[in-house]
Amino acid sequence: MSQPGTVPSEIAAIEQSPLTRRQRLLVGAAVVSNTVEFFDFFIIGFILSIIAGPWQLTFGESAVILLSGGVGTTLGALFWGRIADKIGRRPTFLWTVIVFSVGTGVCAAIPDGAWILFALLRVVVGFGVGGLPVVDIPLISEFVPSKHRGRIAGLAVVFIPVGLFLGAQASALWGDTLGWRGLLLLGLIPVVLVFPIRVIVRESPRWLIQQGRFEEARTNVAWYRHMDPADVVLPPVEAFAQSAVGFGEVWRNHRKPLLIATIGSFCFITASASVQAWGPTLLTQLMRIEPAQAAELFVLVSLASLIGRLFSSRIADVIGRRSTMLVSGVVGAGFVTLSALSGDAVWFGVSVFYIGVLGAFLFGDGSFGIINTFTSEMFPSNVRATGLGMAYGIGALGKVFGPALLAIVSGSGNLISPEATQDAVVPAFLIMAGLLVIGGILYLFATETKGRSFEDIDTSSLNRIKLK
């Protein structure tokens, strides 16, 4: 915070604590949007279980439908991140909600058996889904105090597992009554959110200052902080990076953080997606239980992920981002290794493999409570969303790479859904553990951002570029 009588180095009103009701509403809008977003994204798994038989889908056709959403996510993260830095966070936020919800709703109108059209529309859904995290995290981050940024911005992604839970519940409660088309029409509900979001969400003052729109920036800060706009003192424009925007700018001048964030997130996403994909099948083998029982056990896994995300987003404001990522990677890797070497061992009546999976999601998957927030902090205001979109979009390819790698290791030859065997557990899970360690260590090479204002980050970035 600036000393009295000096020109502030940050937007002082935003750095004040605690949050006002309007700031909390902004965070709430992002939380709800992300939750319903991933309801739309995850509902396809339950829809597919309904239509696969009547449509006589082959395994390959089903796989294309499932993976098409992931392809759209990568494309959406790259596109919307760039757009958010160009036209602003607020309109981009609204458009991502519209795209993924309308895309899901339109799927309900396709003819029976039109699986290719269905897959193409799932690309559209994923396109919208991929954009929301890379827009709302910078938006929230630029409106909250620096010392609480990790905890508050992390809430935007903490409750994503709830979207999966809601999809499962909707399918179980209303699947027989509504049918697959009715379930998809539920995906139109988020469109209704656009109207309150238009009132709650204001444009980022930091983005507005970048555009030279100082009065709008002052007005928006005052609205959230319940202040008179005349009392809002903005930092000098020199405190913000003024260089060009775009993919080329990120690659030329911010290559190190881009590589760290991209490879690091790829390692964590690959490990998390792989353990999640194999977990239920392996539980049925190692614990000798039915698939339905394994699914019930994975409710606790989702809870572990939720707790882990809450913990990492909170502790990152205490011990720092780099230390949090290191602990998440190393401890998560330890639990994955425990699962790999567990065989059919049991501790106190509980499968050791299952204990390892719980720990892996508590720490490894729990790291996602801070990963995207940390990534957004690595880039200055002019390319914050673009940099996050590039790192998140490319890193998300781990969702496809992980199962493919495990298939190769297991020797099944099936690159889409490998046939899990106990013999494949040890080498496959040890590879995933290694990726978590690599990811955790890699983040140590990033610049620590705990407690730093965005103006400080922007100024440091601009000075570094000038010295090149």
Side-chain angles (χ1 to χ4, degrees), residues 171-466:
S171 179
L173 294 175
W174 305 317
D176 292 339
T177 303
L178 299 178
W180 67 271
R181 296 184 190 274
L183 289 175
L184 284 171
L185 286 175
L186 292 177
L188 285 170
I189 293 176
V191 173
V192 180
L193 296 175
V194 169
F195 299 102
I197 286 175
R198 284 177 59 87
V199 177
I200 295 170
V201 177
R202 297 292 182 94
E203 185 56 78
S204 162
R206 271 125 180 165
W207 184 84
L208 289 170
I209 294 174
Q210 285 280 341
Q211 309 304 308
R213 294 156 61 177
F214 303 104
E215 291 308 312
E216 288 181 66
R218 185 175 286 107
T219 299
N220 286 357
V221 173
W223 188 82
Y224 275 111
R225 294 299 306 176
H226 300 282
M227 298 172 61
D228 185 331
D231 295 332
V232 176
V233 180
L234 301 180
V237 69
E238 292 78 11
F240 294 83
Q242 297 296 313
S243 52
V245 300
F247 300 120
E249 162 69 9
V250 175
W251 180 250
R252 285 190 302 271
N253 293 317
H254 310 287
R255 192 174 306 170
K256 178 182 175 182
L258 175 64
L259 291 176
I260 291 173
T262 301
I263 299 173
S265 63
F266 177 82
C267 288
F268 276 91
I269 290 173
T270 299
S272 176
S274 302
V275 175
Q276 186 176 33
W278 277 49
T281 301
L282 289 172
L283 283 178
T284 63
Q285 294 179 353
L286 300 181
M287 296 178 65
R288 297 178 177 84
I289 59 177
E290 296 299 319
Q293 292 176 283
E296 292 176 0
L297 289 175
F298 255 70
V299 172
L300 286 180
V301 173
S302 297
L303 179 60
S305 174
L306 178 62
I307 294 173
R309 292 181 183 216
L310 283 169
F311 177 75
S312 68
S313 64
R314 179 66 184 89
I315 199 67
D317 281 332
V318 178
I319 67 173
R321 278 69 162 136
R322 298 190 303 176
S323 297
T324 299
M325 293 307 303
L326 179 64
V327 170
S328 297
V330 172
V331 178
F335 278 106
V336 173
T337 302
L338 179 65
S339 288
L341 304 179
S342 64
D344 56 0
V346 175
W347 288 350
F348 305 105
V350 181
S351 164
V352 176
F353 175 82
Y354 181 59
I355 294 174
V357 170
L358 283 175
F361 270 78
L362 183 65
F363 289 93
D365 192 74
S367 65
F368 291 104
I370 192 61
I371 282 181
N372 283 341
T373 301
F374 189 17
T375 300
S376 72
E377 295 170 340
M378 293 181 188
F379 301 97
S381 298
N382 64 314
V383 291
R384 180 161 296 125
T386 301
L388 173 57
M390 292 174 72
Y392 173 71
I394 299 173
L397 292 175
K399 295 179 181 180
V400 177
F401 177 79
L405 177 63
L406 290 177
I408 294 172
V409 172
S410 70
S412 70
N414 187 340
L415 298 183
I416 302 299
S417 181
E419 184 67 28
T421 64
Q422 188 166 344
D423 292 338
V425 172
V426 175
F429 270 48
L430 288 180
I431 289 175
M432 296 305 112
L435 286 174
L436 286 175
V437 172
I438 292 172
I441 293 176
L442 190 60
Y443 279 103
L444 290 178
F445 294 91
T447 300
E448 181 58 67
T449 56
K450 178 180 79 74
R452 294 182 64 193
S453 71
F454 279 134
E455 289 74 25
D456 179 34
I457 293 172
D458 285 3
T459 301
S460 297
S461 176
L462 187 59
N463 290 337
R464 177 176 51 80
I465 293 173
K466 288 179 178 178

Side-chain angles (χ1 to χ4, degrees), residues 1-12 15 233:
M1 294 292 294
S2 304
Q3 297 299 318
T6 65
V7 177
S9 60
E10 68 283 312
I11 302 177
E15 295 299 321
V233 180

